[in-house]
Each structure stands twice: as C-alpha cells, then as structure tokens.
Amino acid sequence: MTEVTTKTTQATNAAELATAMSKGKMLYRDPTFKDGKYNGTAVYLGTGATRSYVAVTGCPNPAVKAMKIVATQFNTATDKRITGFYFANTSRANAVFVVRIIANIPTGRNLNVSHNSYGTGGATKWLTSTAGLVNGRSTHVK
C-alpha cells in the first residue's frame, strides 16, 4: 500500500466511524461493566480462562475498574489461540453494529474477529488498528 492509499483508507474509516457513532444508540447503558453483567459478553475458548471485574491503574472511567480476561494456556496443543470473548446480542436484517473496545492488548498481539456466517451482504470491517500497545487504545469494528 502506498502512503496516499493508507491515508485515504484511514480517512474513509474515520468518516464511517463518525457517522455510525453519531447516528447510533448504545445497546447497553453500562459501558464500564459496574453492574457485573458484562453487557452480554462471554468468554470464548475458555481453556484456563477467567473473567473478572478489577481495579486497573489508569483505567479511563470513574470506577477505575475494567473487565479482565486472563488465559493461562493455549486452547489446545495445536490450536494456538489464547482465548477470546463474544457479544451475545442478536443480529437483524439491515442492522449495523459498531463496537468500541478500550483494551490493554499486549504488544505483539492483535484482536481478531471470528464469527458464524452472515446473511447475504454481511461483512465485518476494522475501522482502527487491532495491534496491541498496552495503553488503553480504543479499537472500533463495524
């Protein structure tokens, strides 16, 4: 990719994100998980994985707490995925879901999307980087 193409893609993604965020509505009114229900998220590939709500230094919310998912091993000896989470909200025709994830992802790791098949024309698109930086980066997927 050329620098011009990269910048054009970034500008297009930023415009899509701004439009989606301005016209959308929150599915869950507890973005900090303080009610303990985790907004319909659950651990996926949970081999040795735990989920908790813990204090995190520098966490960008008033409670200074976050959902923490910890994996202690790979899924299997041949499946080197560590663990994941999923959203259990129900999809519907012509709906567009934008997910904002503020996460400390270790350097060298990336967020990935895995899902069951969509209907005709369904797609997933990352609007921001998925690379880990361990700094509370905000990542968006549409």
Side-chain angles (χ1 to χ4, degrees):
M1 244 192 229
T2 67
E3 187 174 345
V4 171
T5 303
T6 299
K7 295 298 181 188
T8 301
T9 300
Q10 289 172 344
T12 301
N13 289 347
E16 278 188 57
L17 178 60
T19 299
M21 296 294 273
S22 68
K23 293 181 178 183
K25 67 176 184 173
M26 289 179 67
L27 291 179
Y28 300 97
R29 295 287 181 192
D30 181 27
T32 62
F33 310 111
K34 68 182 175 197
D35 69 4
K37 296 181 184 172
Y38 302 107
N39 295 337
T41 61
V43 173
Y44 181 72
L45 295 175
T47 304
T50 59
R51 180 182 65 176
S52 57
Y53 184 64
V54 299
V56 178
T57 302
C59 190
N61 66 52
V64 194
K65 289 188 172 184
M67 177 172 51
K68 182 177 184 178
I69 298 174
V70 175
T72 57
Q73 62 191 54
F74 291 116
N75 191 45
T76 67
T78 57
D79 182 348
K80 298 299 183 182
R81 293 177 289 174
I82 296 174
T83 193
F85 64 94
Y86 64 92
F87 301 101
N89 57 297
T90 305
S91 63
R92 57 188 176 275
N94 302 314
V96 175
F97 296 95
V98 176
V99 178
R100 181 177 187 201
I101 303 167
I102 301 173
N104 288 332
I105 307 298
T107 302
R109 298 281 186 189
N110 289 64
L111 288 175
N112 293 304
V113 171
S114 296
H115 53 78
N116 294 334
S117 62
Y118 294 127
T120 303
T124 299
K125 178 181 181 182
W126 287 103
L127 299 175
T128 54
S129 175
T130 63
L133 290 176
V134 192
N135 69 348
R137 163 183 271 165
S138 183
T139 300
H140 300 82
V141 64
K142 174 181 164 187

